[in-house]
Amino acid sequence: MFGVLFLAVAGFFLYNFVYKSHRDIRDEKAEFTVNASDLVKEFLTNRDSSSKKYLNKTIIVTGKLSEIEVNSLMLNEATYCTFDTNHNIPEADLNSQYSIKGRCLGYDELLEIVKLDQASIVE
């Protein structure tokens, strides 16, 4: 009897853990606001400290738009931001100043950039 009850309760918690709703970064308050180039410099100076500070945190990154793709963009050739949905930034906006809010995934050593996902443009 207790075994069945235990399995039912454990199954309920396991199901909720596996299928919990994913974070909505747009609704979260940003913990830091930083320039894209300064963010990369900070990771290059002290990767461990920067990872503890920014990793998996909601941040706002500012900089000049240096590259536009279908679901992503690059700021200052230093921070790569991936959107969940298509964004409509015209090619004419290259070199314009933008602020992007997203979740920091960390520093990519191979490409020497910081990556954000679940990005949104801060108006």
Side-chain angles (χ1 to χ4, degrees):
M1 176 77 174
F2 290 112
V4 172
L5 182 61
F6 175 76
L7 286 175
V9 171
F12 174 77
F13 284 110
L14 180 63
Y15 177 83
N16 284 332
F17 177 76
V18 171
Y19 292 103
K20 70 179 178 181
S21 61
H22 110 158
R23 290 170 57 186
D24 188 1
I25 299 299
R26 284 178 285 193
D27 291 338
E28 290 185 16
K29 182 180 179 195
E31 294 186 44
F32 301 98
T33 299
V34 62
N35 179 278
S37 299
D38 294 340
L39 183 60
V40 169
K41 288 177 188 171
E42 196 169 334
F43 271 95
L44 287 172
T45 302
N46 192 334
R47 188 162 299 129
D48 291 338
S49 173
S50 298
S51 291
K52 287 178 185 174
K53 182 177 178 181
Y54 296 113
L55 193 61
N56 206 28
K57 303 272 176 50
T58 301
I59 63 174
I60 295 175
V61 180
T62 61
K64 286 189 178 180
L65 186 60
S66 56
E67 185 179 319
I68 302 172
E69 295 178 6
V70 175
N71 286 326
S72 59
L73 57 80
M74 180 87 72
L75 295 176
N76 292 1
E77 298 183 14
T79 303
Y80 185 78
C81 309
T82 304
F83 295 81
D84 287 341
T85 59
N86 290 346
H87 58 284
N88 297 318
I89 300 174
E91 291 288 329
D93 278 3
L94 282 174
N95 294 316
S96 296
Q97 192 74 17
Y98 272 85
S99 293
I100 305 295
K101 183 180 184 182
R103 178 179 64 148
C104 182
L105 298 177
Y107 181 73
D108 185 319
E109 293 179 30
L110 180 64
L111 300 174
E112 297 180 342
I113 58 173
V114 174
K115 292 184 175 184
L116 301 179
D117 74 348
Q118 300 183 42
S120 61
I121 298 171
V122 178
E123 302 288 329

